[in-house]
Amino acid sequence: MTPSRWAFVATLVFAAATTVIAVLMNIPPAPEGAAPMADGYATPILALEFARQVSDLHFLTGEEGAALRAWLVRVQFLDWFFPVAYAGMAAAFFLGLVLRGNLLALLGIGLALAAIPADWRENAVMNAILHELENPVCDTQTRTAECPGADAFGGASAEPAIAAHSFDTVLPAQIERLKLDTWVKWGLIAAYGALLAGLFWAGRRRMLAVPPALGALAIAAAWISGSNGYVAEIMGLLLIPFMLTFPIAAVMYLRARPVAEREAP
């Protein structure tokens, strides 16, 4: 079997891993939160990922949000492996195209692999936010008049001041960092989606070009909308056919004749 065929087989392996992890991330279903999610959001992970202000996190606060926070912590653990699966799937497919002679697909390999650490950085911030919501603390290096140490209260509880500092100072800073890391990740995914659509279009496989093109446009629309919940949920739905394009196209290329395999896609 030729090297390009091995790359397409690897695409299918990563696609299977992507599917399994995606299913596990939604079993069991998310419990109810402490409050309704921001307007338009129906998916907790998206509502957290695209939070624009502290009030967007109210559905995760308090005892009522404890079960959902625990569920998201489990999802976040799986999400350390998820980018290796979905980005590995894309990188393996682009490698198959490179081995068929399409050197422009080298850019796709780079974009897909760059999405892995970008997703990990985003996960780290989301985990920090979940930890802060579960255990609001005042770091000794960031204590202020609004967040003094517990010894400043004598026998009284410092929890109200700590909670106020968390919502007024710590969480807003984390959300600002999350905005950057989130859009770096999604920008990379949109970029290799647009590239994939362009390669298919140029190779006269125009039906295959539609799902990645729509996926890339949906990500751009979510960014332009300022992370609007309705747009983000539509984006999430359009990413499914986008991701399915990789294994479908890999099967098509694996079934192609050897002479056709040497042609540009």
Side-chain angles (χ1 to χ4, degrees):
M1 194 158 63
T2 62
S4 67
R5 288 180 175 269
W6 280 115
F8 294 134
V9 169
T11 302
L12 297 179
V13 172
F14 279 115
T18 300
T19 302
V20 169
I21 296 173
V23 170
L24 291 176
M25 289 172 75
N26 290 281
I27 298 178
E32 292 292 327
M37 288 176 271
D39 285 348
Y41 284 101
T43 309
I45 193 69
L46 289 179
L48 171 58
E49 187 172 5
F50 291 112
R52 292 161 288 184
Q53 53 200 5
V54 174
S55 61
D56 292 339
L57 301 176
H58 283 173
F59 73 103
L60 294 172
T61 58
E63 289 298 322
E64 298 85 353
L68 183 52
R69 290 197 301 272
W71 184 86
L72 284 169
V73 167
R74 185 188 69 83
V75 170
Q76 282 295 99
F77 171 74
L78 292 172
D79 203 23
W80 290 106
F81 306 98
F82 194 48
V84 176
Y86 75 73
M89 172 181 68
F93 184 80
F94 283 119
L95 176 61
L97 298 186
V98 171
L99 293 172
R100 285 164 55 95
N102 194 323
L103 297 183
L104 186 58
L106 280 169
L107 178 59
I109 297 175
L111 291 169
L113 293 179
I116 298 175
D119 202 326
W120 285 342
R121 285 195 301 270
E122 179 196 49
N123 285 342
V125 181
M126 293 170 70
N127 286 335
I129 289 174
L130 290 169
H131 179 77
E132 186 68 25
L133 289 169
E134 187 72 24
N135 303 289
V137 297
C138 286
D139 188 276
T140 55
Q141 296 179 350
T142 60
R143 284 178 179 165
T144 66
E146 294 76 25
C147 185
D151 55 352
F153 291 84
S157 172
E159 290 183 5
I162 291 174
H165 177 74
S166 176
F167 277 83
D168 293 342
T169 305
V170 179
L171 287 173
Q174 289 175 333
I175 288 174
E176 288 304 312
R177 180 183 169 193
L178 179 61
K179 290 178 185 177
L180 174 61
D181 291 337
T182 291
W183 284 115
V184 168
K185 180 197 80 171
W186 285 112
L188 290 167
I189 294 173
Y192 73 69
L195 174 64
L196 182 66
L199 293 176
F200 283 145
W201 189 268
R204 297 184 181 181
R205 296 180 182 270
R206 293 177 178 175
M207 289 299 294
L208 286 176
V210 174
L214 289 177
L217 288 173
I219 293 171
W223 178 69
I224 293 170
S225 73
S227 302
N228 176 274
Y230 297 101
V231 180
E233 291 289 343
I234 293 173
M235 180 199 78
L237 292 174
L238 288 175
L239 286 176
I240 297 173
F242 167 25
M243 292 299 173
L244 287 175
T245 303
F246 291 104
I248 291 172
V251 169
M252 291 177 63
Y253 289 141
L254 285 169
R255 295 181 61 184
R257 298 175 181 176
V259 62
E261 184 180 330
R262 292 194 294 269
E263 297 173 356

